[in-house]
Amino acid sequence: MKPLRSKAPPHSILSECFRYTPAAQTDIRKRFALVRREQAEIAKAHAAEQEARERTNVRTINRRGRTA
């Protein structure tokens, strides 16, 4: 017989890679600080990417159809 495999989504408590951490061993302030830092890094990278895209964006002038 084939071994049973979970069909749970990857971010589910039913997935095989889920590790339970008791509440007494967590520090919610550290976790929120970590999430805020990660989000700030993502936002900074996104802003830099957007700025680079704006600098390299060249628009062409369509002169066809214009009456002189």
Side-chain angles (χ1 to χ4, degrees):
M1 283 184 101
K2 291 183 180 179
L4 293 176
R5 291 210 168 221
S6 174
K7 300 228 184 221
H11 299 292
S12 169
I13 62 171
L14 301 176
S15 73
E16 296 170 357
C17 63
F18 177 79
R19 300 264 189 242
Y20 175 75
T21 303
Q25 294 179 358
T26 62
D27 188 349
I28 196 76
R29 280 179 266 142
K30 286 183 181 178
R31 180 66 183 158
F32 273 79
L34 174 68
V35 170
R36 283 189 202 105
R37 278 194 308 272
E38 289 174 349
Q39 288 178 340
E41 288 175 11
I42 291 170
K44 187 176 180 180
H46 183 68
E49 181 180 304
Q50 182 68 24
E51 184 179 322
R53 206 177 304 135
E54 288 173 359
R55 274 191 258 133
T56 60
N57 189 7
V58 178
R59 295 181 184 225
T60 59
I61 299 173
N62 185 5
R63 295 184 182 204
R64 294 181 193 179
R66 289 181 103 196
T67 55

